[in-house]
Amino acid sequence: MPTLRDAAFLLGAPRARDLPPDTGAEVAFAGRSNAGKSSALNALTAQTGLARVSKTPGRTQQLNVFALSHDQRLVDLPGYGYAKVPQALRHTFFALTTDYLEHRRSLKGLVLLADIRQGLKAEDHSLLQSRNDIPILVLLSKADKINRGERQRILRELAKVAPETAYLLPFSALTREGLEETRETVSQWLGLGEPPAD
C-alpha cells in the first residue's frame, strides 16, 4: 500500500487534456503564488525537493502531477494572483486551474493554501465555489508568523465566509503545525495506507 512518501513526479501538463486518464483518485493543491504551496507539498510527502520551492512566486505554470501508484496522484495546480506575471498569463493559469477543478472526475479533495495573514482573496473564493461535491481543506499557511490570539480572530472571521464544505486549519511548514492532520486527511481521500512518520 503506497503512502504519501512514495510521491514521485510523473508529468507536467500545460493543458487539462494532457493529464493522465481521469480514473483513480487525485488530490489537488491550489493557492496564490506566495501561499507556500510547494513547501506544504514537500512537508506533506516528507521530501525536500518534490515540489520546487522558489523565492520567486509564480513558478508553477502547469498542472504538475505526482504519482503515488498507478491510480493515486497529487496534482499541484498553477499559482495565481502574482502581480508580476502578465495579466493574460495570469488569466491563463487561473483558467487552467478552474477547468481542472470543474471537470476532473477523479478529484477526491482540494487542499487550498492561503497565507493566514492575508485571508481569502476573490480568486480563493472562486475556487472554493467551483466544486460542492468534494471536501476542501483550507490550509492557513505561515501560521507561525502571528500569535495565537490573532490566529483565533482570523479563524472566526474566515469561518463566516468559507463554504460549508471547507475545513479551516492553521498550518506551518516551518513548525509543522497542522501537518499530521493534513497528512491524515489527504491519505484518507486517496485511500492510502498510514501517513509517513518523520
Side-chain angles (χ1 to χ4, degrees), residues 59-88:
R59 294 297 296 271
T60 304
Q61 300 182 0
Q62 57 187 356
L63 302 166
N64 287 327
V65 182
F66 304 96
L68 291 83
S69 71
H70 72 282
D71 62 354
Q72 294 161 312
R73 299 171 294 275
L74 304 175
V75 182
D76 185 12
L77 305 176
Y80 50 86
Y82 185 46
K84 292 186 179 179
V85 173
Q87 181 67 29

Side-chain angles (χ1 to χ4, degrees), residues 143-155:
D144 56 289
K145 303 292 187 183
I146 61 175
N147 63 43
R148 189 166 298 276
E150 180 70 2
R151 180 185 311 179
Q152 293 305 314
R153 183 192 66 78
I154 292 172
L155 280 172

Side-chain angles (χ1 to χ4, degrees), residues 11 14 25 46 50 72 94 106 114-115 121 126 135 143 155 169 177 187:
L11 58 85
L50 182 72
Q72 294 161 312
F94 195 70
S106 54
D115 188 323
K121 304 294 187 181
S126 177
L155 280 172
L169 179 66
E177 178 182 359
S187 295

Side-chain angles (χ1 to χ4, degrees), residues 79-154:
Y80 50 86
Y82 185 46
K84 292 186 179 179
V85 173
Q87 181 67 29
L89 201 54
R90 289 171 62 188
H91 177 74
T92 298
F93 293 163
F94 195 70
L96 180 60
T97 292
T98 53
D99 180 52
Y100 168 85
L101 291 176
E102 290 172 1
H103 298 107
R104 194 70 172 170
R105 295 299 101 194
S106 54
L107 182 62
K108 303 302 180 187
L110 170 66
V111 179
L112 176 69
L113 279 101
D115 188 323
I116 194 169
R117 300 166 298 177
Q118 298 180 14
L120 297 173
K121 304 294 187 181
E123 290 160 315
D124 299 322
H125 284 290
S126 177
L127 290 191
L128 287 172
Q129 301 296 336
S130 62
R131 289 282 290 272
N132 58 13
D133 62 329
I134 60 168
I136 300 171
L137 176 61
V138 179
L139 294 186
L140 299 170
S141 62
K142 308 182 185 180
D144 56 289
K145 303 292 187 183
I146 61 175
N147 63 43
R148 189 166 298 276
E150 180 70 2
R151 180 185 311 179
Q152 293 305 314
R153 183 192 66 78
I154 292 172

Side-chain angles (χ1 to χ4, degrees), residues 130-197:
S130 62
R131 289 282 290 272
N132 58 13
D133 62 329
I134 60 168
I136 300 171
L137 176 61
V138 179
L139 294 186
L140 299 170
S141 62
K142 308 182 185 180
D144 56 289
K145 303 292 187 183
I146 61 175
N147 63 43
R148 189 166 298 276
E150 180 70 2
R151 180 185 311 179
Q152 293 305 314
R153 183 192 66 78
I154 292 172
L155 280 172
R156 285 194 299 270
E157 292 300 313
L158 291 179
K160 297 175 184 177
V161 297
E164 292 183 2
T165 54
Y167 176 65
L168 304 173
L169 179 66
F171 182 86
S172 170
L174 183 64
T175 66
R176 312 181 82 73
E177 178 182 359
L179 179 59
E180 287 308 315
E181 190 170 351
T182 302
R183 281 177 173 164
E184 290 171 6
T185 299
V186 172
S187 295
Q188 181 182 14
W189 288 347
L190 290 171
L192 297 176
E194 290 296 313

